[in-house]
Amino acid sequence: MATTSQERARLDPYTRIAESKNVALQERITDLHTAIKAAKTGMLVTRDSNGNLHSRPMNPASPLDNLQLNLIFLANNASSKFEEIENDSHVNVSFFDPSSTDWVSYSGRARVTQDRDLIHKHWSSFITGYIGNLGDGVHQGDEKDPRVAVIEIIPDEIKYWITKKSHVFRTVQVAAGAAMGRATAPGELRTISKEEVHLVQGLHAK
């Protein structure tokens, strides 16, 4: 049964109150980067050929440029996630910071590349600890290892929640709202739309 936007807003006051539409794009990007850096680890979700969803924790490469919206992951291309991305490039990446309750959700597509300049730019020696040196003179666990590939997440839409209020303030606010039977939102729900993503990508490419 379809629900009109007006009726949805009435039935879901939490989202209606939290949605923030008056924040400048650059501020939204800056706060997005803050939330990602605080969470550190994202969950990359892919779909296999049977339609099953699989998620795994991954740390995005850093640093993030001021206008960067794409996420970069370095990974072992022998792992099953690459086969799943080849089957269906649609992915989701989510981040959550329990200390603040900030969260981020990326909806978009994954692009796989072995661009050596990109790998060099984002290489971390910690990756060796995940893929190992196989001792065959080829798979040495370094940035030239043929198993190392880039998964670049190109977003269609980014949604995130951020709060700049203390834990105590948020708890009191929600408790007061509950006591009065009133919905509250101790943070802001923000969106970076597909159109805004395209705009930023154009600027970032210059």
Side-chain angles (χ1 to χ4, degrees):
M1 178 174 157
T3 304
T4 65
S5 57
Q6 189 174 21
E7 181 67 359
R8 185 179 298 110
R10 185 184 73 85
L11 294 173
D12 184 11
Y14 182 87
T15 299
R16 173 174 50 81
I17 295 167
E19 282 184 331
S20 178
K21 300 179 180 179
N22 299 314
V23 180
L25 180 56
Q26 182 60 70
E27 183 179 347
R28 275 179 282 153
I29 295 173
T30 299
D31 286 343
L32 168 69
H33 289 174
T34 299
I36 291 173
K37 289 176 182 176
K40 296 184 178 65
T41 302
M43 296 296 292
L44 170 63
V45 182
T46 55
R47 187 190 303 273
D48 70 15
S49 57
N50 294 316
N52 298 312
L53 297 173
H54 298 143
S55 62
R56 75 283 292 164
M58 297 188 70
N59 295 331
S62 60
L64 293 170
D65 296 337
N66 289 338
L67 290 175
Q68 182 178 332
L69 291 177
N70 292 6
L71 294 172
I72 300 292
F73 298 104
L74 297 185
N76 184 347
N77 62 19
S79 63
S80 60
K81 55 182 166 287
F82 283 85
E83 183 178 339
E84 293 175 3
I85 289 170
E86 183 178 3
N87 172 69
D88 185 348
S89 64
H90 292 89
V91 297
N92 175 267
V93 183
S94 61
F95 298 85
F96 178 65
D97 178 11
S99 67
S100 63
T101 70
D102 293 351
W103 58 262
V104 177
S105 178
Y106 269 69
S107 297
R109 293 176 181 265
R111 182 177 75 93
V112 173
T113 177
Q114 286 191 297
D115 183 308
R116 288 296 148 189
D117 289 337
L118 198 56
I119 291 172
H120 177 73
K121 178 181 178 181
H122 296 291
W123 176 257
S124 167
S125 59
F126 281 101
I127 296 169
T128 303
Y130 290 100
I131 65 175
N133 181 347
L134 302 187
D136 58 8
V138 177
H139 304 93
Q140 300 182 72
D142 59 10
E143 64 180 272
K144 296 180 181 180
D145 191 311
R147 293 173 295 168
V148 178
V150 173
I151 300 174
E152 182 175 15
I153 308 302
I154 304 167
D156 289 325
E157 182 183 67
I158 303 167
K159 286 185 176 290
Y160 71 97
W161 164 276
I162 192 166
T163 181
K164 299 182 180 180
K165 299 172 183 175
S166 70
H167 173 73
V168 172
F169 184 95
R170 298 196 308 270
T171 301
V172 170
Q173 183 180 356
V174 173
M180 293 183 285
R182 184 179 66 197
T184 61
E188 295 182 10
L189 179 61
R190 299 177 180 174
T191 300
I192 298 177
S193 68
K194 188 171 186 175
E195 293 73 22
E196 289 172 324
V197 169
H198 288 166
L199 172 64
V200 171
Q201 286 173 335
L203 294 172
H204 193 246
K206 293 181 178 179

